[in-house]
């Protein structure tokens, strides 16, 4: 049986306001427990919530960025449930009338095609506090610093068809909220998190299968891994004659498995009703227009501009613009890399390759963000300039890059200090070439007796030998040309 995978994501993004959604308490991460929770966050009797206008502005920015509807009126609702980290006994959220509805997000798939994913709604809500299990013996501590932190919950249509698509969608939303500056996007600190709803159905069926909801997904990698596992588990279940039970499951990244947490609650379990303490939000067209004119450049627009301005491919430009930090880093590095006033195509492409390749790999290896990289844009730009003007080969550049990364100086300093300058002196190269040809009689014979279309491959051996003798410093293009010339004649 062929199964079709169906996924819908619910993403919580913490809005980057300085104070909470309904109180004046600070939202700074990492403060001492319960030092940033006021009477409103504690739900003390007699307090009243007051809406933070900045939160509304940010939600509208998001709505505009995804071409959504922003209805003139939206309403806060109480979602009732009991939990120790929720002192009021209800969470203020939105239910029937969310602030944003019916948006669209384009994701780029691996084959380069674009797919549009529907966003059902995005609503405002307050975060709950945290239960703390360490340091209290058999007891549990409650930290209410996070209570009342503003969140926007972004709910997708069940339009995603694979773990990869879900990952691409999540990355795209992450890019949009960080480009907008409405969320810091920090997943370790929980500022951006995701629940995935997963089901499968026989290929061609129009009815949706029973879904499970996966919680606790706080990295792009975990989202994809958890979904892959869940698809496998559901497939096994159905193919062995069983059933998928609608439930909430928890992903355990250490064991790389999902396990049942609780049976899924239904919306009516929460007894939603409009919060009598808060007036409906009324949004005027003027307010929306004012926000529209202040929107920054968004990922899709930036991707198209970078693709055109720097002559990059669709794929390269979409990787480069996948985060605002990377796009900023790319543009400043590419500018530092070109020696002339206007951008040149070769160094733009080279810059993209370096940032997506060596540079990203080094960041990953060291679990660093771009902002904390020991090699900055100026330094990387200078290195690329030296590849571009043939001072060093791309291969030697990797050695220089490692040295820069380890704090040994700038590219020029390292090239000078280590004597890495490329040999372009044709006399010196000719000597090396002659030496290799003299030492490789059988290979020379084989080359000369081979048809032209095979020679292209065989020449690699000679190039390799010459490069080795020059310790990587000979200009590969010159070596190639000279070898071809010399090998052609007897
Ligand atoms: P709830 O309120 O219980 O969380 P919703 O109906 O609001 O449920 O849906 C939550 C998310 O689950 C949405 O992103 C939606 O697209 C997705 N979803 C709903 N049904 C399915 C299904 N059968 N398979 C996969 N995803 C689903
Ligand atoms: Mg849900």
């Amino acid at each position: 049986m062929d199964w079709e995978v169906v996924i819908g994501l619910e993403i919580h993004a913490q809005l980057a306001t300085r104070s909470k959604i309904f109180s004046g308490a600070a939202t700074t991460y990492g403060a001492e427990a319960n030092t940033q929770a006021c009477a409103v966050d504690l739900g003390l009797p007699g307090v009243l919530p007051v809406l933070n206008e900045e939160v509304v502005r940010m939600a509208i920015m998001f709505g505009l960025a995804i071409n959504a509807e922003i209805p003139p009126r939206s309403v806060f609702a109480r979602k009732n449930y009991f939990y120790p980290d929720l002192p009021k006994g209800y969470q203020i959220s939105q239910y029937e009338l969310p602030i944003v509805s019916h948006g669209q997000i384009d994701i780029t798939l691996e084959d380069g095609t674009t797919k549009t994913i529907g966003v059902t709604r995005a609503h405002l809500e307050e975060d709950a506090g945290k239960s703390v299990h360490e340091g209290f013996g058999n007891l549990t501590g409650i930290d209410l610093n996070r209570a009342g932190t503003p969140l926007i919950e972004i709910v997708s249509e069940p339009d995603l068809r694979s773990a990869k698509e879900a990952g691409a969608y999540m990355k795209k939303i992450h890019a949009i909220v960080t480009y907008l500056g409405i969320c810091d996007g920090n997943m370790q600190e929980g500022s951006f998190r995701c629940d995935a709803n997963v089901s499968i159905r026989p290929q061609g069926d129009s009815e949706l299968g029973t879904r499970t909801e996966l919680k606790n997904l706080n990295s792009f990698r975990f989202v994809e891994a958890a979904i892959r596992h869940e698809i496998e588990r559901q497939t096994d279940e159905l193919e062995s004659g069983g059933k998928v039970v609608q439930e909430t499951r928890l992903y355990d990244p250490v064991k790389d498995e999902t396990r049942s947490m609780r049976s899924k609650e239904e919306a009516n379990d929460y007894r939603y009703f409009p919060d009598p303490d808060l007036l409906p939000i009324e949004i005027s067209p003027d307010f929306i227009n004012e926000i529209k004119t202040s929107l920054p450049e968004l990922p899709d627009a930036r991707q198209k501009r970078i693709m055109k301005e720097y002559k990059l491919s669709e794929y390269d430009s979409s990787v480069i613009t996948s985060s605002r930090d990377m796009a900023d880093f790319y543009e400043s590095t590419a500018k530092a890399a070109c020696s002339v006033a206007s951008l040149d195509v070769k160094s733009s492409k080279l810059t993209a390759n370096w940032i997506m390749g060596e540079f990203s790999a080094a960041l990953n290896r060291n679990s660093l963000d771009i902002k904390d990289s020991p090699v900055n844009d100026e330094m990387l730009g200078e290195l690329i300039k030296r590849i571009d003007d043939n001072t060093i080969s791309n291969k030697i550049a990797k050695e220089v890059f490692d040295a820069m990364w380890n704090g040994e100086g700038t590219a020029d300093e390292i090239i000078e200090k280590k004597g890495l300058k490329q040999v372009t002196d044709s006399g010196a190269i000719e000597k090396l070439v002659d030496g290799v040809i003299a030492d490789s009689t059988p290979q020379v014979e084989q080359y000369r007796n081979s048809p032209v279309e095979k020679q292209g491959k065989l020449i690699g051996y000679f190039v390799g030998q010459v490069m080795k003798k020059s310790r990587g410093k000979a200009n590969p293009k010159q070596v190639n040309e000279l070898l071809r010339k010399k090998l052609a004649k007897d």
Side-chain angles (χ1 to χ4, degrees):
M1 168 98 70
D2 273 345
W3 300 98
E4 184 183 35
V5 173
V6 176
I7 303 160
L9 297 189
E10 294 164 274
I11 290 175
H12 286 92
Q14 186 179 311
L15 295 172
T17 54
R18 288 170 51 197
S19 59
K20 295 191 176 169
I21 181 167
F22 301 119
S23 83
T27 55
T28 331
Y29 180 83
E32 196 190 325
N34 297 312
T35 55
Q36 290 182 172
C38 68
V40 172
D41 308 317
L42 263 53
L44 297 185
V47 297
L48 284 174
V50 176
L51 178 61
N52 180 343
E53 184 182 318
E54 197 54 26
V55 163
V56 176
R57 185 183 295 274
M58 288 177 168
I60 294 174
M61 285 173 85
F62 179 73
L64 291 171
I66 62 163
N67 271 319
E69 283 165 30
I70 295 149
R73 188 182 151 93
S74 87
V75 168
F76 284 107
R78 289 188 181 179
K79 180 178 182 181
N80 298 280
Y81 64 94
F82 172 79
Y83 211 73
D85 61 20
L86 188 75
K88 296 198 298 294
Y90 61 87
Q91 176 193 28
I92 305 178
S93 180
Q94 296 193 295
Y95 186 56
E96 277 170 338
L97 295 169
I99 190 156
V100 167
S101 54
H102 303 117
Q104 289 102 38
I105 286 178
D106 285 346
I107 57 171
T108 308
L109 305 179
E110 269 179 328
D111 63 2
T113 57
T114 301
K115 177 170 173 180
T116 303
I117 307 300
V119 172
T120 319
R121 56 188 275 144
H123 61 253
L124 288 169
E125 62 185 26
E126 58 177 347
D127 208 344
K130 257 184 208 170
S131 296
V132 185
H133 302 288
E134 275 121 58
F136 296 96
N138 289 329
L139 304 175
T140 294
I142 300 292
D143 176 6
L144 292 173
N145 281 353
R146 201 178 65 180
T149 299
L151 300 176
I152 186 164
E153 177 172 340
I154 305 154
V155 182
S156 85
E157 289 289 309
D159 287 346
L160 300 156
R161 289 292 172 272
S162 67
K164 267 254 158 336
E165 286 187 10
Y169 168 83
M170 188 181 172
K171 283 179 193 156
K172 191 59 175 281
I173 301 248
H174 187 267
I176 291 170
V177 295
T178 51
Y179 271 66
L180 287 171
I182 62 171
C183 173
D184 68 18
N186 190 325
M187 297 201 220
Q188 277 93 44
E189 295 178 2
S191 306
F192 189 86
R193 41 194 209 258
C194 168
D195 302 336
N197 294 270
V198 180
S199 67
I200 59 174
R201 63 180 170 190
Q203 198 68 251
D205 258 25
S206 55
E207 222 168 286
L208 292 177
T210 305
R211 71 176 143 139
T212 57
E213 182 172 0
L214 308 175
K215 293 256 177 199
N216 197 27
L217 307 173
N218 61 357
S219 85
F220 297 124
R221 201 159 50 86
F222 289 167
V223 167
E224 291 190 29
I227 292 175
R228 257 186 223 110
H229 266 263
E230 185 56 17
I231 293 169
E232 231 170 82
R233 193 192 64 84
Q234 291 186 10
T235 310
D236 288 349
E237 195 72 52
L238 293 180
E239 289 187 346
S240 61
K243 261 190 176 162
V244 173
V245 181
Q246 178 156 337
E247 62 183 356
T248 301
R249 296 180 72 86
L250 204 62
Y251 176 64
D252 180 342
V254 180
K255 292 198 183 127
D256 198 13
E257 63 177 27
T258 66
R259 57 173 180 271
S260 181
M261 190 162 103
R262 56 168 188 253
S263 68
K264 172 93 182 117
E265 63 288 326
E266 297 290 336
N268 54 18
D269 294 334
Y270 290 121
R271 294 149 40 239
Y272 279 101
F273 64 88
D275 192 314
D277 287 345
L278 286 154
L279 291 168
I281 312 173
E282 290 190 347
I283 296 161
S284 70
D286 283 351
F287 189 55
I288 296 181
N289 282 333
E290 179 210 314
I291 295 171
K292 209 178 260 173
T293 54
S294 72
L295 284 183
E297 187 179 37
L298 289 163
D300 285 347
R302 193 162 192 187
Q303 185 261 327
K304 292 206 171 67
R305 176 175 64 74
I306 285 188
M307 183 168 136
K308 202 167 144 223
E309 211 168 290
Y310 298 83
K311 310 266 184 313
L312 295 185
S313 70
E314 176 98 37
Y315 177 78
D316 287 358
S317 54
S318 78
V319 175
I320 290 292
T321 53
S322 61
S323 86
R324 184 174 172 174
D325 285 347
M326 193 189 277
D328 288 346
F329 191 82
Y330 173 74
E331 291 205 69
S332 52
T333 305
K335 281 180 185 126
C338 63
S339 19
V340 281
S342 64
L343 294 164
D344 68 297
V345 177
K346 202 173 138 221
S347 66
S348 299
K349 173 73 187 144
L350 215 58
T351 305
N353 289 346
W354 269 83
I355 290 180
M356 294 189 296
E358 216 68 20
F359 181 72
S360 290
L363 289 176
N364 285 342
R365 258 199 313 279
N366 296 282
S367 306
L368 286 179
D369 283 338
I370 287 186
K371 287 197 195 88
D372 310 315
S373 164
V375 174
N376 66 22
D377 45 3
E378 290 286 323
M379 293 163 78
L380 187 59
E382 183 180 289
L383 176 70
I384 289 162
K385 210 187 246 177
R386 295 298 161 250
I387 306 170
D388 204 22
D389 67 13
N390 285 324
T391 306
I392 51 173
S393 68
N394 209 40
K395 199 161 164 223
I396 291 288
K398 292 185 180 162
E399 194 181 327
V400 178
F401 178 80
D402 288 341
M404 279 203 300
W405 189 274
N406 295 328
E408 292 175 39
T410 67
D412 282 346
E413 286 164 7
I414 293 162
I415 293 167
E416 186 61 43
K417 205 161 51 189
K418 301 197 168 189
L420 295 173
K421 225 175 221 156
Q422 180 159 245
V423 179
T424 51
D425 165 11
S426 48
I429 292 179
E430 185 162 11
K431 236 192 221 154
L432 294 171
V433 166
D434 287 343
V436 167
I437 290 180
D439 291 344
S440 320
T441 320
Q443 288 87 348
V444 172
E445 223 159 88
Q446 190 197 3
Y447 180 92
R448 287 183 175 149
N449 292 331
S450 298
V452 184
E453 60 278 11
K454 258 194 120 182
Q455 285 178 340
K457 222 172 167 186
L458 292 172
I459 201 158
Y461 166 79
F462 299 98
V463 176
Q465 291 299 310
V466 175
M467 292 309 288
K468 206 162 137 192
K469 280 206 163 166
S470 77
R471 286 185 293 124
K473 290 190 290 183
N475 177 299
K477 195 162 160 247
Q478 280 173 285
V479 171
N480 232 296
E481 278 166 11
L482 203 60
L483 273 169
R484 273 177 207 281
K485 217 157 81 193
K486 298 229 169 193
L487 287 168
K489 47 184 191 214
D490 298 282

